[in-house]
Amino acid sequence: MRTTTNLVTELKTVRPRKAVLEMPEYHPPLAGRDALRLDFNENTFAPSPKVMERLRAVTGEELTKYPEREPVERIVAKHFGLQPEQVLLTNGVDEAIHLMCVTFLDADDEALISTPTFFMYDVNIKMMTPHLRKVQAGATLEFPFERFMAAITERTKLIIVASPNNPTGAVVKREHLLAIAAAAPHAVMMVDEAYYHFHGESTMKDFATAPNLIVARTFSKAYGLANLRVGMLAGNAELLKFVRKTGSPYNVNGVALACLPAAIADDEYIAWYTEQVRVGRERMMNGLRELGVPFFFSHANFVLMNIGPKHKALVETMHTRGVLLRDRSTDPGCDGFVRITIGLEEHVTRGLDALAASLQEIEWVPTV
């Protein structure tokens, strides 16, 4: 008779692919977030009132149907001045990254990123190939353009660059992004513009001159739809045809698809929220200057600061004061760094007040 012990023993012989065994894991610290959430770069308020109105109007019959992505892709494409075949909606940018890697990377191919950056690039690339080349930014955390260009080889098949970058808030010049795409015509280049609304510069108008360029956007940040999980890829229709082939036909849920048109149509709300972030970001950086805390100039809805050896103590103390921060010390070149999200004016005020009190409580003094 088969026993539980025998089954466990047998299952130990069932192993996943080597790449899965060796790929890193991402464990977001989502538990216990019942505080002011200045840790995940989310919208700290709410989506557009028009989204809430559409959400309340979702019917039971709508929930019984499989979601239809294509009609909403046509609406999104028109909004961004693109053709429907140039847009693919995804289950957040996380799925977009996954699909790019699955579509374009073989086991012997190389992928290229600059670090520090969004950790999910690392996770998804290494799921497909061990040949991930990382170009580390210098002490200023600015994008290392010249060294990045020099790292492109004939084996490079996928390049991913975030602008603005997470966790640094640094941007890459548009001309540099286009130069990278031109230098690697044999590779697909994805520009992750998740934080586009807080900076305003995009390569989405450059698809005609950069046929190997694909842009990723999210509706989680400025639009406030993080819980609905919806993002998009935009670019060359021929390239997206292959990406579409690797994805699920029902990857984006129907509630997200119902709400997305309302979200993108409310330009007034987006203008208001992004202005809140712009003003709040300036206030936060000025406040950090007054506190003597070193930080990196940001073009996103967050600021990365250098706390040094007391970074863990600061995060813990802020939590006791009802404010969550994100410790980025394990990111390459970020030892001692902590990130704070920028949102509404009142949230920036609470964040700065808690920060000043917490720094005093942990007896922090600048070390750089």
Side-chain angles (χ1 to χ4, degrees), residues 16 27 44-45 112 119 144 155-156 167 194-195 201 222 240 247-248 257 265 338 340:
H27 298 287
T44 67
F45 177 53
L112 181 63
F119 186 60
R155 292 178 59 192
T156 305
Y195 299 96
E201 188 168 292
L240 283 185
S248 164
L257 293 173
V338 174
I340 185 167

Side-chain angles (χ1 to χ4, degrees), residues 306-321:
N306 187 352
I307 300 301
K310 293 194 174 183
H311 57 96
K312 288 184 180 179
L314 176 65
V315 172
E316 292 170 358
T317 304
M318 288 284 282
H319 195 177
T320 66
R321 295 178 183 276

Side-chain angles (χ1 to χ4, degrees), residues 180-351:
I180 294 167
H186 55 288
V188 177
M189 179 174 176
M190 188 185 97
V191 179
D192 186 346
E193 295 183 354
Y195 299 96
Y196 156 77
H197 287 92
F198 310 113
H199 171 53
E201 188 168 292
S202 175
T203 55
M204 201 178 283
K205 301 296 185 183
D206 296 300
F207 297 142
T209 56
N212 59 334
L213 175 66
I214 289 180
V215 170
R217 289 277 184 91
T218 184
F219 300 97
S220 296
K221 309 301 181 184
Y223 291 99
L225 303 182
N227 195 268
L228 293 183
R229 309 308 303 129
V230 58
M232 75 176 230
L233 290 171
N236 184 303
E238 285 300 307
L239 291 179
L240 283 185
K241 178 175 66 177
F242 300 121
V243 183
R244 201 180 306 273
K245 185 178 180 180
T246 63
S248 164
Y250 309 121
N251 60 331
V252 181
N253 73 80
V255 177
L257 293 173
C259 292
L260 184 55
I264 63 175
D266 197 346
D267 293 332
E268 184 178 348
Y269 169 82
I270 289 296
W272 170 78
Y273 187 76
T274 55
E275 180 64 8
Q276 287 276 308
V277 171
R278 187 193 67 79
V279 172
R281 186 173 60 201
E282 291 300 317
R283 279 191 62 211
M284 179 60 67
M285 291 191 290
N286 287 334
L288 292 174
R289 288 189 188 97
E290 292 174 5
L291 292 169
V293 178
F295 65 91
F296 296 88
F297 189 89
S298 175
H299 297 272
N301 68 332
F302 55 82
V303 177
L304 185 69
M305 49 188 159
N306 187 352
I307 300 301
K310 293 194 174 183
H311 57 96
K312 288 184 180 179
L314 176 65
V315 172
E316 292 170 358
T317 304
M318 288 284 282
H319 195 177
T320 66
R321 295 178 183 276
V323 179
L324 300 179
L325 301 182
R326 188 72 184 273
D327 193 333
R328 303 305 324 186
S329 293
T330 59
D331 289 1
C334 293
D335 186 29
F337 294 1
V338 174
R339 192 188 66 201
I340 185 167
T341 300
I342 309 300
L344 297 187
E345 179 182 1
E346 63 189 89
H347 297 157
V348 173
T349 298
R350 285 177 59 188

